[in-house]
Amino acid sequence: MQRRLIPRTADLEYGKHIRPDAGIADLDLELAQSFLAGADRPGESAVDALRRLGLIDGDAADWGITHAALLLFGRPPARKWHPGAGIRVMRVAGTARILGQRQSTTWIGHADPPLARAVPKGLQLIAEQCRQSEPLLELLLADMPEYPGGVLREALVNAVAHRDYERSNSETEVVFFDDRVEVSSPGLLADGVTVPDLTSGEAVHATRNPLLVNALVAAGHMRAQGSGLPRMFRAMKESLLTEPRFAARGGVFTITLHNEPEVATAGPGWKHVVGGLGIDRDQKRVLLARPDGFTRDEFLRLNAVPAGHADRRIRDLVDRGIVKPEFIDDDGVPAYYLTSDLDSTRWFLEERVPRLRKHFRMRSQLRSADYRELFEVSYPVARRELGLLVELGFLREGGRGRSTHYLPTAGLRK
């Protein structure tokens, strides 16, 4: 029986085309079985799963093998079926690539094709590169990764699923910089999709590779088509990070995720004081993100809470003497500022704590004479300020008389 070939037409995606020189023996059926095990169809054979998902066509006498099936499960040498179906992961020291002798790019790893192996391996490689975020720790008072859970995963899987396999043999690429990560996929956007569409954060229901998408959904690596983009925007917003950025140029589509908070965080000294105020996480977050004053609308945006909850939390801050309302506009809507004592303490710590931390990185203890020299203050001022730093939990006094010295405590180690 002669193999049936699906004719190539302008509206028929590359993945659906039958590869005439491929047969069922060119597919790793064990890999297909394990990859599609999440399809919630116990007992289904790999061949039945491939046929149900449209990855193969026909019957045992004459299977038609699609490009999508070979991209996912092609036997070695997998690059025979598509040389660009892998994923490269790199890290750049700094915020820009420097070529030549001052090469700044470090090769992290490679996820070889087929895609059923490359995707899990690629996800493992990027997970290993996600560090803990010091700026988010200072803001949210909890250990946080550079990028919220699922966002980087979503970016990579979408890049693999929606890229142009027909016109490009380049690989999907992930590059970590100090301030961002860029996920680049060969080819421009699918017909009918624009960068402004994506920037809106709304669901976009379009792909050039529906068979790949269906298989990745069945394997549990993707959810329903079009739902990934809103989840990415929501997760970045909830972690107070800037929205994903998109660019399509030079035949490459790139998603960029930045790891710096969209709000300016306060220094470690103020963070330590806020941590000891006995208030809840939402209140701490607004005092750290907006130490120079905030409005009710900013409290709502930062914490994504109901209006009634925000009003109660703000009123509690006022009742505790932490903030005070000031009416700066004629519309009668107040802004809330730190009370004078707390504000003075904050500015004192913003100037003192970073320099004290630097001192203790080089020396094990601090004497009054060191403090006077470091900050160019008199003996009475040094004595008063050192006592305040002890009271606030930044220093611990040791020795007596001429042997008096100070050691760092929790506030200076954070």
Side-chain angles (χ1 to χ4, degrees):
M1 182 183 296
Q2 186 176 5
R3 178 170 295 158
R4 299 180 304 282
L5 300 183
I6 299 178
R8 295 175 62 108
T9 61
D11 61 350
L12 189 60
E13 299 83 354
Y14 167 79
K16 291 183 177 179
H17 303 156
I18 297 297
R19 178 96 179 218
D21 59 337
I24 197 71
D26 293 310
L27 299 180
D28 187 334
L29 296 183
E30 290 187 6
L31 175 61
Q33 186 79 52
S34 62
F35 188 77
L36 299 173
D40 196 27
R41 292 174 181 260
E44 184 180 43
S45 70
V47 170
D48 287 341
L50 292 171
R51 182 161 51 184
R52 174 173 56 80
L53 292 169
L55 295 167
I56 61 176
D57 181 62
D59 52 40
D62 183 37
W63 290 117
I65 311 300
T66 65
H67 282 290
L70 293 164
L71 285 169
L72 285 160
F73 309 115
R75 286 189 179 278
R79 293 187 185 280
K80 167 186 175 181
W81 310 114
H82 198 290
I87 301 167
R88 295 185 293 173
V89 182
M90 292 168 282
R91 181 171 284 279
V92 172
T95 59
R97 295 197 197 193
I98 302 174
L99 303 178
Q101 293 183 349
R102 298 174 59 204
Q103 179 60 260
S104 62
T105 302
T106 301
W107 180 264
I108 299 302
H110 188 271
D112 292 314
L115 291 178
R117 297 192 192 280
V119 169
K121 177 64 174 179
L123 293 173
Q124 176 190 339
L125 289 172
I126 63 174
E128 292 170 351
Q129 288 301 303
C130 280
R131 303 163 174 170
Q132 294 303 104
S133 171
E134 184 67 23
L136 287 178
L137 170 61
E138 292 180 1
L139 181 60
L140 303 178
L141 301 176
D143 286 334
M144 297 287 290
E146 287 180 300
Y147 309 97
V151 172
L152 192 49
R153 175 190 182 93
E154 196 85 47
L156 177 58
V157 175
N158 273 276
V160 169
H162 300 306
R163 58 156 287 183
D164 187 345
Y165 288 97
E166 182 168 20
R167 297 174 182 83
S168 177
N169 288 331
S170 299
E171 293 183 307
T172 302
E173 185 176 275
V174 182
V175 183
F176 287 86
F177 296 84
D178 287 352
D179 63 340
R180 68 192 187 281
V181 59
E182 295 179 354
V183 182
S184 300
S185 53
L188 299 180
L189 294 167
D191 291 343
V193 180
T194 66
V195 169
D197 291 335
L198 301 176
T199 304
S200 71
E202 300 295 327
V204 176
H205 300 276
T207 181
R208 57 165 60 87
N209 302 308
L211 293 186
L212 287 183
V213 170
N214 290 341
L216 289 166
V217 170
H221 289 296
M222 294 184 75
R223 300 187 190 179
Q225 185 178 331
S227 64
L229 196 62
R231 282 199 307 276
M232 289 175 63
F233 272 76
R234 185 166 56 251
M236 294 292 279
K237 181 177 181 180
E238 289 172 354
S239 292
L240 303 182
L241 297 170
T242 57
E243 295 177 341
R245 307 289 173 82
F246 306 94
R249 62 175 72 94
V252 176
F253 174 70
T254 301
I255 300 176
T256 301
L257 305 172
H258 288 270
N259 57 25
E260 289 293 323
E262 64 173 342
V263 295
T265 58
W270 178 236
K271 173 196 165 189
H272 178 73
V273 171
V274 170
L277 289 177
I279 54 181
D280 70 16
R281 178 182 288 265
D282 294 345
Q283 293 168 314
K284 290 176 180 177
R285 183 179 289 117
V286 77
L287 293 181
L288 291 171
R290 294 284 187 265
D292 291 316
F294 63 91
T295 64
R296 178 178 182 267
D297 285 345
E298 287 174 325
F299 192 103
L300 288 168
R301 187 177 70 84
L302 284 168
N303 291 297
V305 295
H309 174 88
D311 292 336
R312 289 190 295 272
R313 298 279 71 79
I314 293 172
R315 191 179 309 116
D316 181 63
L317 290 173
V318 174
D319 292 343
R320 289 171 180 263
I322 295 172
V323 301
K324 57 182 179 180
E326 291 188 16
F327 296 88
I328 55 176
D329 295 321
D330 296 334
D331 57 10
V333 177
Y336 298 89
Y337 299 92
L338 294 174
T339 53
S340 57
D341 287 347
L342 269 178
D343 198 41
S344 296
T345 298
R346 178 174 76 91
W347 283 111
F348 166 71
L349 294 174
E350 293 289 344
E351 203 277 333
R352 296 296 194 252
V353 167
R355 293 168 70 180
L356 287 171
R357 294 176 87 180
K358 183 177 180 180
H359 171 89
F360 283 113
R361 281 197 291 268
M362 297 181 291
R363 301 176 65 178
S364 61
Q365 58 182 250
L366 173 79
R367 295 184 180 276
S368 176
D370 300 326
Y371 190 90
R372 297 197 303 271
E373 180 181 354
L374 191 61
F375 297 109
E376 299 181 348
V377 296
S378 65
Y379 178 82
V381 171
R383 182 176 180 180
R384 183 174 66 252
E385 291 187 357
L386 286 166
L388 178 59
L389 289 164
V390 170
E391 179 184 342
L392 292 174
F394 292 93
L395 296 175
R396 175 170 59 85
E397 187 174 349
R400 292 184 179 182
R402 293 180 179 273
S403 298
T404 300
H405 59 273
Y406 299 88
L407 301 172
T409 59
L412 286 178
R413 293 196 187 103
K414 292 180 179 178

